[in-house]
Amino acid sequence: MAKTVFDKIWDAHLVKELGDGVGLVYIDRHLIHEVTSPQAFDGLRAADRQLRRPSAVIAVPDHNVPTKDREKPNPDANSAAQLAALDSNCAAFGIEKIDMFDIRQGIVHVMGPEQGITQPGVTLVCGDSHTSTHGAFGALAFGIGTSEIEHCFATQTLQLKKLKNMRVTVNGRLPFGCSAKDVALAIIGKIGTAGGTGHVIEYAGSTIEDLSMEGRMTLCNMSIEAGARAGLVAPDAKTFAYIKGRTWAPKGMQWDMAVNYWQSLKSDDGAFFDKEVTLDATEIVPLVTWGTSPEDVIAVTGDVPAPESFKDPSKQAAAVSALEYMGLTAGEPMDRVKVDRVFVGSCTNSRIEDMREAAAMIKGRKVNVRIIEAIIVPGSGLVKHQAEEEGLDKIFIDAGFEWRDPGCSMCLAMNPDKAGAGERVASTSNRNFVGRQGPGARTHLVSPAMAVGAAIAGHFVDVRNY
Amino acid sequence: MQKFDQVTSIPTPFTQVNVDTDIIIPAKHLKTITRTGLGVHAFENIRYGADGALTGEAVFDRAPYTEATILVAGENFGCGSSREHAPWAIADMGYRCIIAPSFADIFASNCVKNGILTITLNTEAVRHLALDGEAEAEITVDLPAETVTAADGTVFNFTYNPVHKEMLVGGLDEIGQTLQDEALITAFEIRQKAAQPWLYNRD
Ligand code: SF4
């Protein structure tokens, strides 16, 4: 029977059918961080259970590590307790941990691919919903909750209901000024935040093939905002080239064996997709979110929509409260909306390519005086190092940006990086939910180029002619 | 885990759509290292005023809903971040069952692992039950029978994953259930290691 990539990975990891479409699925890779793991370790201890396969687990602190003055004592006692718990739990259970001061440290979804942990065909989980990022390599990767972390610790498996297949095909050349983030936002704008619910999205088409691995990660990252638990791209020569030589990558004869297997991970002709969506990349324009859901997307050249413009009454009501929260008026041109803070970072847009995209927008210009703070937070120590080798840090600092140490930072505002009530943020992260970047903070999701454009102009700008 | 058979309660009507896990429990409360005590922070932005005090105006804090064990919610409930603190917080408020037209996948699977039953019913049925909640009338959820009985006696049937049903009804722990298949897991590892040895280089 013709199978999709997802079907193939699922079948290759099925330990047992549990009935009603639920399978006991083997997990190859398990990434952990400080926020969602402590209770899982506690659970193991309480039930006197062992960690089944410590070598399949790797830990890195990222969610609430400070992005500056890291050497100083952590001002937040709760964060410090979580970071200390990660240390002691990893030591007690024999798990390899990347330290906060290690150059490899970074956002778990940036670190995994960099270390070659993420590979085609593997099942990879992490207690963070943006684990979907790793699907860029043709892995089945998805976020899990703490009980599942504990389950995976104890059994190296998960009980999962098989998801459905959905294919999003994007064809055509992406216009100048647009990047993978705009593709992701365009897809979510089209299918909505529940469009992929219950499905694994496979991204296909010439636009996706043309994206770099970084771009594919940005895209797969936001599968979760499209409602899907996982998103993936079939692996190709670009994927293999990215992995080759990395720490966890297969070597020697095993490399050839692996590539041989990885090449089989394509959806067969005639494979069945429960849902199909197509987009024309040539129609994509630089996008901005105006509301408090990632599906609230419009062109930067567009106007803030009126609640009446939505058919669905519940969507109308949601738009009324979103506009109120965001401090926007229907009909207001998006490119006149003023910005107070800028954040370039998060597992969506903190890789080297994002740093280059951001730096290219600066062209000797300065951060606008009205901007309270514009921070650039690389996704890992390695990204930071690479950017500094290329001199990008100087471009940022000279322009008035702050160049920070790697972590999740303002993406979820668990550390001191956050916006005040009513402050408007141009952010390259993935969620514009109420209060996500601090109580009352107003988040607009954009690409790195758009974020930097807003930092320079003090308001949103169409980066195609800026 | 507490066994789940029948639950009767005046349900809390809270039918806002797309309620994400940041609304259920804001990120600043994720810095815990235990599972209990999150209920006071649940739906914080809705329940507390700018001064940080409980306003008492939110539906969750009004009698008789303070005693409710069933929540009637809106479409796409629990979307957003996969944080399990969301079901912990809801469980800590005393809820054992949530009824909605749809749930975010991860949220629903996190619920069952924490003993919370999520029931998906059509919009009409959910509206009916929400109205019962507003009228302060009791409804009954019967998991073994897979029914929800509204105050006027209308019975809504639902379907629930049989594996999860067995767990909830039996008050079982999922890990214990899986460990019964340990031999199969070991056999899988042996097969996989032969076919894809590179996945075992670090063992
Ligand atoms: S950057 Fe944001 S979305 Fe990504 S892992 Fe960190 S908190 Fe989650």
PDB file of all heavy atoms in Angstrom, chain A residues 62-63 107-109 128 130 346-347 408 411-412 430 436, ligand 1:
ATOM      1  N   ASP A  62      17.038  26.008  28.804  1.00  0.00           N
ATOM      2  CA  ASP A  62      16.812  27.076  27.820  1.00  0.00           C
ATOM      3  C   ASP A  62      15.669  28.026  28.170  1.00  0.00           C
ATOM      4  O   ASP A  62      15.773  29.220  27.984  1.00  0.00           O
ATOM      5  CB  ASP A  62      16.554  26.470  26.421  1.00  0.00           C
ATOM      6  CG  ASP A  62      15.333  25.554  26.362  1.00  0.00           C
ATOM      7  OD1 ASP A  62      14.700  25.318  27.412  1.00  0.00           O
ATOM      8  OD2 ASP A  62      15.009  25.061  25.259  1.00  0.00           O
ATOM      9  N   HIS A  63      14.578  27.499  28.733  1.00  0.00           N
ATOM     10  CA  HIS A  63      13.380  28.325  28.875  1.00  0.00           C
ATOM     11  C   HIS A  63      13.550  29.527  29.788  1.00  0.00           C
ATOM     12  O   HIS A  63      13.042  30.588  29.502  1.00  0.00           O
ATOM     13  CB  HIS A  63      12.197  27.481  29.359  1.00  0.00           C
ATOM     14  CG  HIS A  63      11.523  26.751  28.251  1.00  0.00           C
ATOM     15  ND1 HIS A  63      12.179  25.851  27.445  1.00  0.00           N
ATOM     16  CD2 HIS A  63      10.242  26.788  27.798  1.00  0.00           C
ATOM     17  CE1 HIS A  63      11.337  25.370  26.540  1.00  0.00           C
ATOM     18  NE2 HIS A  63      10.150  25.926  26.733  1.00  0.00           N
ATOM     19  N   ILE A 107      18.423  27.006  22.692  1.00  0.00           N
ATOM     20  CA  ILE A 107      17.035  26.549  22.695  1.00  0.00           C
ATOM     21  C   ILE A 107      17.059  25.100  22.229  1.00  0.00           C
ATOM     22  O   ILE A 107      17.723  24.772  21.241  1.00  0.00           O
ATOM     23  CB  ILE A 107      16.168  27.408  21.764  1.00  0.00           C
ATOM     24  CG1 ILE A 107      16.241  28.886  22.164  1.00  0.00           C
ATOM     25  CG2 ILE A 107      14.720  26.924  21.789  1.00  0.00           C
ATOM     26  CD1 ILE A 107      15.588  29.828  21.174  1.00  0.00           C
ATOM     27  N   VAL A 108      16.365  24.260  22.949  1.00  0.00           N
ATOM     28  CA  VAL A 108      16.422  22.823  22.700  1.00  0.00           C
ATOM     29  C   VAL A 108      16.190  22.478  21.219  1.00  0.00           C
ATOM     30  O   VAL A 108      16.849  21.593  20.683  1.00  0.00           O
ATOM     31  CB  VAL A 108      15.445  22.106  23.672  1.00  0.00           C
ATOM     32  CG1 VAL A 108      14.008  22.537  23.458  1.00  0.00           C
ATOM     33  CG2 VAL A 108      15.579  20.618  23.606  1.00  0.00           C
ATOM     34  N   HIS A 109      15.342  23.233  20.542  1.00  0.00           N
ATOM     35  CA  HIS A 109      15.036  22.920  19.140  1.00  0.00           C
ATOM     36  C   HIS A 109      16.077  23.477  18.167  1.00  0.00           C
ATOM     37  O   HIS A 109      16.029  23.202  16.974  1.00  0.00           O
ATOM     38  CB  HIS A 109      13.642  23.428  18.766  1.00  0.00           C
ATOM     39  CG  HIS A 109      12.613  23.002  19.736  1.00  0.00           C
ATOM     40  ND1 HIS A 109      12.507  21.696  20.165  1.00  0.00           N
ATOM     41  CD2 HIS A 109      11.670  23.700  20.417  1.00  0.00           C
ATOM     42  CE1 HIS A 109      11.542  21.616  21.055  1.00  0.00           C
ATOM     43  NE2 HIS A 109      11.021  22.816  21.228  1.00  0.00           N
ATOM     44  N   ASP A 128       7.807  20.162  25.014  1.00  0.00           N
ATOM     45  CA  ASP A 128       7.627  21.521  24.503  1.00  0.00           C
ATOM     46  C   ASP A 128       6.940  21.386  23.155  1.00  0.00           C
ATOM     47  O   ASP A 128       7.394  20.610  22.308  1.00  0.00           O
ATOM     48  CB  ASP A 128       8.990  22.200  24.330  1.00  0.00           C
ATOM     49  CG  ASP A 128       8.827  23.617  23.813  1.00  0.00           C
ATOM     50  OD1 ASP A 128       8.565  23.782  22.607  1.00  0.00           O
ATOM     51  OD2 ASP A 128       8.906  24.552  24.615  1.00  0.00           O
ATOM     52  N   HIS A 130       6.825  23.032  20.500  1.00  0.00           N
ATOM     53  CA  HIS A 130       7.522  23.359  19.252  1.00  0.00           C
ATOM     54  C   HIS A 130       8.568  22.332  18.834  1.00  0.00           C
ATOM     55  O   HIS A 130       9.392  22.587  17.943  1.00  0.00           O
ATOM     56  CB  HIS A 130       8.072  24.783  19.300  1.00  0.00           C
ATOM     57  CG  HIS A 130       6.942  25.758  19.267  1.00  0.00           C
ATOM     58  ND1 HIS A 130       6.364  26.219  20.419  1.00  0.00           N
ATOM     59  CD2 HIS A 130       6.233  26.250  18.237  1.00  0.00           C
ATOM     60  CE1 HIS A 130       5.345  26.996  20.083  1.00  0.00           C
ATOM     61  NE2 HIS A 130       5.238  27.029  18.775  1.00  0.00           N
ATOM     62  N   SER A 346      13.833  33.164  19.507  1.00  0.00           N
ATOM     63  CA  SER A 346      12.933  32.017  19.675  1.00  0.00           C
ATOM     64  C   SER A 346      13.289  30.877  18.728  1.00  0.00           C
ATOM     65  O   SER A 346      14.014  31.074  17.742  1.00  0.00           O
ATOM     66  CB  SER A 346      11.455  32.377  19.473  1.00  0.00           C
ATOM     67  OG  SER A 346      11.104  32.284  18.114  1.00  0.00           O
ATOM     68  N   CYS A 347      12.743  29.708  19.014  1.00  0.00           N
ATOM     69  CA  CYS A 347      13.055  28.539  18.187  1.00  0.00           C
ATOM     70  C   CYS A 347      12.488  28.680  16.780  1.00  0.00           C
ATOM     71  O   CYS A 347      12.801  27.896  15.896  1.00  0.00           O
ATOM     72  CB  CYS A 347      12.548  27.268  18.857  1.00  0.00           C
ATOM     73  SG  CYS A 347      10.793  27.286  19.205  1.00  0.00           S
ATOM     74  N   CYS A 408      15.292  31.004  25.431  1.00  0.00           N
ATOM     75  CA  CYS A 408      13.947  31.284  24.918  1.00  0.00           C
ATOM     76  C   CYS A 408      13.562  32.745  25.084  1.00  0.00           C
ATOM     77  O   CYS A 408      12.785  33.296  24.317  1.00  0.00           O
ATOM     78  CB  CYS A 408      12.926  30.405  25.622  1.00  0.00           C
ATOM     79  SG  CYS A 408      13.166  28.656  25.269  1.00  0.00           S
ATOM     80  N   CYS A 411      10.305  35.018  24.108  1.00  0.00           N
ATOM     81  CA  CYS A 411       9.272  34.211  23.458  1.00  0.00           C
ATOM     82  C   CYS A 411       8.178  33.881  24.447  1.00  0.00           C
ATOM     83  O   CYS A 411       7.007  33.862  24.108  1.00  0.00           O
ATOM     84  CB  CYS A 411       9.870  32.930  22.887  1.00  0.00           C
ATOM     85  SG  CYS A 411       8.634  31.810  22.280  1.00  0.00           S
ATOM     86  N   LEU A 412       8.552  33.564  25.677  1.00  0.00           N
ATOM     87  CA  LEU A 412       7.514  33.251  26.657  1.00  0.00           C
ATOM     88  C   LEU A 412       7.695  34.003  27.950  1.00  0.00           C
ATOM     89  O   LEU A 412       6.946  33.777  28.902  1.00  0.00           O
ATOM     90  CB  LEU A 412       7.399  31.736  26.905  1.00  0.00           C
ATOM     91  CG  LEU A 412       8.286  31.066  27.942  1.00  0.00           C
ATOM     92  CD1 LEU A 412       7.783  29.663  28.185  1.00  0.00           C
ATOM     93  CD2 LEU A 412       9.707  31.066  27.540  1.00  0.00           C
ATOM     94  N   ASN A 430       6.567  32.673  17.935  1.00  0.00           N
ATOM     95  CA  ASN A 430       5.485  31.939  17.281  1.00  0.00           C
ATOM     96  C   ASN A 430       4.112  32.116  17.904  1.00  0.00           C
ATOM     97  O   ASN A 430       3.121  31.593  17.409  1.00  0.00           O
ATOM     98  CB  ASN A 430       5.856  30.456  17.233  1.00  0.00           C
ATOM     99  CG  ASN A 430       6.438  29.994  18.562  1.00  0.00           C
ATOM    100  OD1 ASN A 430       5.920  30.349  19.616  1.00  0.00           O
ATOM    101  ND2 ASN A 430       7.507  29.221  18.504  1.00  0.00           N
ATOM    102  N   ARG A 436       1.406  36.566  26.584  1.00  0.00           N
ATOM    103  CA  ARG A 436       2.524  35.665  26.300  1.00  0.00           C
ATOM    104  C   ARG A 436       3.882  36.318  26.574  1.00  0.00           C
ATOM    105  O   ARG A 436       4.804  35.699  27.072  1.00  0.00           O
ATOM    106  CB  ARG A 436       2.444  35.217  24.837  1.00  0.00           C
ATOM    107  CG  ARG A 436       3.633  34.416  24.344  1.00  0.00           C
ATOM    108  CD  ARG A 436       3.559  32.970  24.751  1.00  0.00           C
ATOM    109  NE  ARG A 436       4.665  32.214  24.177  1.00  0.00           N
ATOM    110  CZ  ARG A 436       4.835  30.901  24.316  1.00  0.00           C
ATOM    111  NH1 ARG A 436       3.974  30.209  25.023  1.00  0.00           N
ATOM    112  NH2 ARG A 436       5.847  30.294  23.769  1.00  0.00           N
TER     113      ARG A 436
HETATM  114  S1  SF4 C   1      11.657  29.658  22.064  1.00  0.00           S
HETATM  115 FE1  SF4 C   1       9.565  29.798  22.751  1.00  0.00          FE
HETATM  116  S2  SF4 C   1       8.409  28.321  21.609  1.00  0.00           S
HETATM  117 FE2  SF4 C   1      10.590  27.854  21.379  1.00  0.00          FE
HETATM  118  S3  SF4 C   1      11.039  26.308  22.918  1.00  0.00           S
HETATM  119 FE3  SF4 C   1      11.478  28.299  23.803  1.00  0.00          FE
HETATM  120  S4  SF4 C   1       9.568  28.929  24.771  1.00  0.00           S
HETATM  121 FE4  SF4 C   1       9.068  27.233  23.415  1.00  0.00          FE
END
